[in-house]
Amino acid sequence: MPAKPITAADVRVALRRRFCAPEWALLFEVGDATGARHTRFADAVAMSLWPSRGLELHGMEIKVSRYDWRNERKRPEKAETIAAYCDRWWLVTGPGVVESSDEIPPAWGWIDFDGERLTTVREATRTDAKDCDRRFLAALLRRASKTDDAAVEAAITRRMREKEEAFDERVRRAVEMRVGDRDQVIRDVEAFEAAAGFKISEFRGFNWDAEETGRAVAALKKSGVDKAFHGLQHAAETLRSCAARVEEALAEIGLPPRKPPTESKRTKRGRA
């Protein structure tokens, strides 16, 4: 599968990584003036901001097509309008755009981008740049202000997206809670029906009164019947334990264990 072609946008992203703040200020599509007075554009202009680096202004021409580069070579004076304000001028290319460094004007530097990294093939010669006039300064400031506008717009968009994602997350959690509550209610109803021995849905056609059934269940709970039932079970277990201990005590003193009443006697006592 052929490699994806490198675009000018790819090159700009790579330039942003190399000529980044706080060492550099990088602007794209900078004209030689503002309004109708501009005649040329530089694809990129980078200003060195550290005095130790010389506070140089670098201009750049970006080419990702061999065809475009051949046309550019036919009009070498095109870049001179803005290059005159720059201390150094660079040609930044994609793979295969330049076949030999002999094609590049002597003072120009050459940076090649392979899709991953920028490689300086030839250093740009420092030239005597003329002072920036107000027209070129206005062009720089206009481009800088547009860059700020784009950054602000991007920040606003990012913030709105974050708020939307946060809202979506709250909705998702609320839905999960509601679904969880519903599932628990369904389990509780199934447990109630299993214990009661009937299904609620079977009584919907027979004057089923959910409120009345609820009051009946509440009355049973208040009466303590459920607690009494468990209490009787506990009492029976206690009596059986006591009887077993009595039998053990009788055996230790040599007395025969008491015989349980016969069925006939139980029946007579029950009838009496």
Side-chain angles (χ1 to χ4, degrees), residues 36 41 70 74 91 110 118 142 144 154 160 182 186 194 213 218:
F41 279 95
R70 283 201 301 262
K74 295 176 183 178
L91 176 66
W110 177 19
L118 293 166
R142 169 172 288 185
M160 291 179 63
R182 182 203 64 184
I186 291 174
T213 302

Side-chain angles (χ1 to χ4, degrees), residues 11-33:
V11 176
R12 286 194 289 269
V13 171
L15 289 174
R16 280 201 177 279
R17 290 198 296 265
R18 172 176 285 196
F19 298 96
C20 58
E23 182 181 355
W24 296 91
L26 179 65
L27 305 172
F28 295 106
E29 298 295 332
V30 177
D32 59 340

Side-chain angles (χ1 to χ4, degrees), residues 3-4 6 11 14 93-95 111-119:
K4 181 181 177 181
I6 293 175
V11 176
T93 64
I111 298 175
D112 190 60
F113 180 61
D114 63 2
E116 296 292 334
R117 62 182 61 84
L118 293 166
T119 301

Side-chain angles (χ1 to χ4, degrees), residues 172-247:
R172 184 187 66 79
R173 290 181 180 178
V175 170
E176 286 183 353
M177 291 178 62
R178 298 297 185 273
V179 171
D181 292 344
R182 182 203 64 184
D183 293 342
Q184 184 60 49
V185 169
I186 291 174
R187 289 192 292 269
D188 291 343
V189 169
E190 290 175 347
F192 175 83
E193 291 177 338
F198 67 89
K199 288 187 174 296
I200 294 174
S201 59
E202 296 175 355
F203 291 86
R204 289 178 180 171
F206 299 93
N207 296 323
W208 164 258
D209 191 333
E211 184 178 353
E212 182 178 348
T213 302
R215 287 198 298 268
V217 172
L220 289 174
K221 293 289 289 183
K222 290 180 180 178
S223 68
V225 171
D226 57 332
K227 295 180 180 179
F229 174 75
H230 293 298
L232 291 174
Q233 283 185 320
H234 179 69
E237 292 174 359
T238 302
L239 290 173
R240 281 194 294 268
S241 177
C242 290
R245 291 178 182 178
V246 169
E247 295 296 339

Side-chain angles (χ1 to χ4, degrees), residues 31-190:
D32 59 340
T34 57
R37 290 174 295 180
H38 75 269
T39 59
R40 294 288 185 269
F41 279 95
D43 292 330
V45 171
M47 179 70 188
S48 173
L49 303 179
W50 289 355
S52 61
R53 301 294 176 86
L55 301 178
E56 292 184 351
L57 189 64
H58 294 242
M60 302 174 203
E61 189 77 22
I62 298 173
K63 295 297 176 187
V64 294
S65 164
R66 175 71 179 169
Y67 175 80
D68 289 343
W69 169 236
R70 283 201 301 262
N71 289 336
E72 186 73 18
R73 291 177 58 197
K74 295 176 183 178
R75 297 178 295 170
E77 72 284 353
K78 178 182 175 183
E80 293 304 319
T81 304
I82 298 180
Y85 295 107
C86 300
D87 299 287
R88 301 179 190 271
W89 191 262
W90 298 85
L91 176 66
V92 186
T93 64
V97 173
V98 176
E99 295 179 351
S100 171
S101 59
D102 295 336
E103 301 175 0
I104 304 174
W108 290 24
W110 177 19
I111 298 175
D112 190 60
F113 180 61
D114 63 2
E116 296 292 334
R117 62 182 61 84
L118 293 166
T119 301
T120 301
V121 182
R122 191 174 81 183
E123 287 288 343
T125 302
R126 178 163 183 168
T127 59
D128 294 329
K130 69 179 183 179
D131 293 337
C132 294
D133 58 25
R134 288 181 178 268
R135 292 185 303 173
F136 185 57
L137 179 60
L140 287 172
L141 294 176
R142 169 172 288 185
R143 183 51 58 185
S145 66
K146 288 186 177 180
T147 301
D148 291 341
D149 291 343
V152 171
E153 184 66 26
I156 293 174
T157 301
R158 183 172 60 255
R159 182 58 178 162
M160 291 179 63
R161 187 182 302 114
E162 290 173 354
K163 288 186 176 181
E164 290 175 356
E165 291 174 353
F167 176 76
D168 292 343
E169 179 65 15
R170 289 197 298 270
V171 171
R172 184 187 66 79
R173 290 181 180 178
V175 170
E176 286 183 353
M177 291 178 62
R178 298 297 185 273
V179 171
D181 292 344
R182 182 203 64 184
D183 293 342
Q184 184 60 49
V185 169
I186 291 174
R187 289 192 292 269
D188 291 343
V189 169
E190 290 175 347

